Amino acid sequence: QLQASGGGLVQAGGSLRLSCAASGPTFSTYIMGWFRQAPGKEREFVAAVSRNGGSTFYADFVKGRFTISRDNAKNTVYLQMNSLKPEDTAVYYCAADRTIVVHTTSGSYDYWGQGTQVTVSS
């Protein structure tokens, strides 16, 4: 089970940190990802982190602004979002992938959190 939190309302240029807590003893065996979905749009990949946290992957539109990290001791993955823009407004979802290869397609992920709303005002 994945539980996302940390969303909210922020002004453009501001920051938020999303957290996703996982239950169960096998968190470190999953690749973890963040996706987002804006109203009327497809769910899109934001970032992913390898099982040991040593490798990270980002969508081009967040490179240099967002940072994904994980703490396997706490069964938690984070998404630090800086320099937020109104176009970052969306519901953000964390997801877990049992394979060993990082995927950027939502269909490759096996488990999903409930989503947390991020709203960026201009």
Side-chain angles (χ1 to χ4, degrees), residues 12-120:
S15 298
L16 283 174
R17 187 173 85 152
L18 306 184
S19 299
C20 176
S23 58
T26 59
F27 176 75
S28 63
T29 66
Y30 290 84
I31 287 169
M32 297 300 298
W34 287 96
F35 288 76
R36 70 186 188 185
Q37 188 166 18
K41 294 188 176 181
E42 299 281 323
R43 189 170 297 190
E44 61 182 357
F45 171 78
V46 175
V49 60
S50 60
R51 292 179 292 178
N52 66 1
S55 298
T56 55
F57 305 85
Y58 297 95
D60 287 343
F61 55 78
V62 302
K63 283 183 180 177
R65 300 190 298 125
F66 292 10
T67 303
I68 188 171
S69 61
R70 67 190 296 163
D71 185 337
N72 287 343
K74 295 183 179 179
N75 280 14
T76 303
V77 61
Y78 305 97
L79 185 68
Q80 177 67 44
M81 306 187 295
N82 299 328
S83 302
L84 283 161
K85 304 175 181 179
E87 51 264 45
D88 293 319
T89 295
V91 177
Y92 283 71
Y93 299 89
C94 59
D97 184 352
R98 290 177 294 183
T99 65
I100 62 173
V101 177
V102 172
H103 296 100
T104 61
T105 53
S106 59
S108 299
Y109 286 74
D110 304 289
Y111 304 103
W112 291 83
Q114 86 288 2
T116 185
Q117 176 71 47
V118 171
T119 303
V120 184

